[in-house]
Amino acid sequence: MFNNYDLTDKDVLDIVKEYENLINKYSEINGKSDEDLKQFIVMEIYKKLTKNREK
């Protein structure tokens, strides 16, 4: 789906925003939202989508 890995920061943030409900769902522990886990998930998405980007 996101094979080119040549996304800008804005593109990545748009993707995170689009999938925010799913990220929130998977950042729950025992029915409570875990903000640290949510931030970890977002950071992993960011790292994955920007890994081959020119610096």
Side-chain angles (χ1 to χ4, degrees):
M1 183 170 179
F2 307 109
N3 294 333
N4 66 359
Y5 296 110
D6 193 24
L7 301 168
T8 65
D9 286 343
K10 182 177 180 341
D11 294 334
V12 174
L13 291 174
D14 289 343
I15 291 168
V16 167
K17 183 174 178 150
E18 185 174 330
Y19 288 93
E20 188 171 11
N21 288 337
L22 190 61
I23 292 168
N24 288 336
K25 176 182 175 183
Y26 286 106
S27 64
E28 288 185 5
I29 297 177
N30 295 329
K32 294 183 181 179
S33 181
D34 186 326
E35 190 63 32
D36 291 334
L37 180 54
K38 181 179 177 181
Q39 289 177 10
F40 177 79
I41 292 169
V42 171
M43 286 304 301
E44 290 299 312
I45 291 169
Y46 180 83
K47 286 193 293 187
K48 181 69 175 176
L49 294 179
T50 61
K51 72 177 183 176
N52 292 330
R53 185 166 66 176
E54 294 287 327
K55 295 193 173 38

